[in-house]
Amino acid sequence: MKEIELTNRINTTDKMVFDVKGLNLWYDQEQALRDINIGIEKNRVTAIIGPSGCGKSTFIKTLNRMVENIPSVRITGEILYHQQNIFDKAISVEELRTRVGMVFQKPNPFPKSIYENVVFGPKIHGIKDKNLLMEIAEISLKRAALWDEVKDRLKKNAIGLSGGQQQRLCIARALAVNPDILLMDEPTSALDPIATGKIEDLVLELKKDYTIVIVTHSMQQAARISDKTAFFLTGELLEYDETKKIFSNPQHKKTEDYVTGRFG
Amino acid sequence: MSDRETDVREIIQNNIRNKKGIVNKIMPVFFFIMASVSVLTTIGIIVTLVTDAYKFFSAVGLSEIFSTRLAPLRAEDPTFGILPLINGTIIITAIAMLVAIPLGLTAALYLSQFASPRVRKTVKPILEVLAGIPTIVYGFFAYTFVTPMLMSLIPTLESKNALSPGIVMGIMIIPLVASLSEDAMNAVPEILKEGSLALGSTKLEVAIKVVIPSAISGIIASFVLAISRAIGETMIVTIASGSSKAFTFDITRSMQTMTSYIVEFTSGDAGSGTTGYYSLYAVGLILLSFTLVMNLIAQYISRKYREEY
Ligand SMILES: Nc1ncnc2c1ncn2[C@@H]1O[C@H](COP(=O)(O)OP(=O)(O)OP(=O)(O)O)[C@@H](O)[C@H]1O
Ligand SMILES: [Mg+2]
């Protein structure tokens, strides 16, 4: 089948980057997501919160179809990315993933040099020109607020960086393929408070150019950096609203209990 | 404290006191002795090899030893050039590696990165069976099946030749390379592969750009073990490669390896105390140093190329 091109984001004026409609997901027989309907807005930070096992990771891994790497997964419903269903057979998941980048819970730099980490994506996707690659590396590292700390040791192994630096390197690596969305699954849960603060500042900076979806267990983090918050409970999207509203005047009792720390 | 608690405390105290007893002192000594056995055996082997090889080296001049003239059984003026044996060993090992490394590595890649769990569960035991076949069976297979088959392709092939045992030895070593490389590839953390997939790589790109580089030290270790195995392999070459002592690079002809030279002489008529007899020790010593060097190379390479994760 001929692959169709994903819409070029430059040409769209959509306010919504993802429109999720009636999404259900099962691991074997066990249903992990139930009838999720949510619109992710452009250039905003959307926080996904909820108790352990409620399906937060499953949900964001569905947005770049990484969840399909698990063989038992079955999905119904649709996710429109700029009006195109990402599950459409004609869409290439590889291309989708260059548009929808991902940062993981545990920093996972490749055991290669800092430079090689950042240009990994661009190289895979066919960029060979050394000057261009260097330019991409510099821009991406600057965007990830890491350039000043590593510019003198780009050829050194990334494993030698601190946890917080490694995580910002992973952000730079994701930015290097020019995504318009960044998915982050508890990106600071393995970091100390100072490194966490740096990532949070970075998220606020990045939202000017990118759309960010972030899973977090920290209510302070959600309140501080997100514009909208989605509260998941046992596979369902219980409440989705402006973050201010969720934290001050939620519709559901359970949301209130959760954000005030009464359960979860 | 209640009675029960006092009792429990007393039992624990007695128990700990008893552990300071004789068994706890003797067992470590016993383990040490057992461990020493293998070390002492190795030292014993090396000492024997070196002393008897020394007799050979002093009886035969170095210029003769490092020559291509090998005629140990000639009644008049036997010669002991070792180069034909080293040449035969290296050539047959090289042929085996040309078969074992590409096939073993691709099998490992397939099994660890692409095969479904069901395929993996069926193929791995088959590979292990392949590894368990006695080498004499492979030798027989080379001589009675592979050689005749190759003869129909290469009419000038001699009935004893280097090519056929080389290929069969390669087949024999595939499971070793496949299994060890697969272990190394499986040890690459899932999270690294996910990191690569999330950047839009295909599974093939993940395998080549992430899995192989991350597993490289284990993969190289498997190659080196394979080479050591090929150098030491005896039965296949004795049966299918014959005992020609000519120095040649023509793989369609018979060649003798160091190992099959030793077989020929220990099963034949090298009388104890003759130069021919001592030549066995010299060949054995050289064989041993080959494997030693291989191991050193392996350690060096894997230290140099290790990508830690
Ligand atoms: N690979 C899998 N196979 C089977 N079931 C899974 C798998 N991954 C997750 N699940 C199940 O799906 C449900 C949602 O899991 P998920 O990891 O999305 O939760 P989460 O909200 O991210 O939790 P946490 O806050 O602990 O990270 C859980 O019930 C979990 O047991
Ligand atoms: Mg999770």
Side-chain angles (χ1 to χ4, degrees), chain B residues 172-224:
Chain B
M172 179 190 78
I173 292 172
I174 290 171
L176 179 107
V177 175
S179 164
L180 290 178
S181 307
E182 202 222 346
D183 289 346
M185 290 175 192
N186 280 339
V188 176
E190 208 54 42
I191 189 169
L192 288 185
K193 296 192 232 167
E194 284 182 357
S196 174
L197 283 172
L199 289 166
S201 344
T202 60
K203 273 182 122 179
L204 181 65
E205 285 160 346
V206 174
I208 291 169
K209 301 275 166 61
V210 176
V211 175
I212 292 185
S214 305
I216 195 72
S217 63
I219 293 171
I220 289 177
S222 83
F223 293 172
V224 173

Side-chain angles (χ1 to χ4, degrees), chain A residues 27 30 32 50-59 61 70 72 105 185-186 215 217:
Chain A
Y27 292 105
E30 191 201 344
S52 207
C54 68
K56 304 180 295 295
S57 299
T58 303
F59 174 69
K61 281 194 291 182
I70 298 160
S72 67
Q105 184 168 356
D185 191 352
E186 299 183 45
V215 173
H217 273 290

Side-chain angles (χ1 to χ4, degrees), chain A residues 94 97 108 111-112 124-125, chain B residues 191 199-200 205 209 307-308:
Chain A
E94 286 81 23
R97 288 173 190 164
N108 60 346
K112 301 176 190 289
I124 288 264
H125 298 295
Chain B
I191 189 169
L199 289 166
E205 285 160 346
K209 301 275 166 61
E307 290 199 348
E308 276 174 61

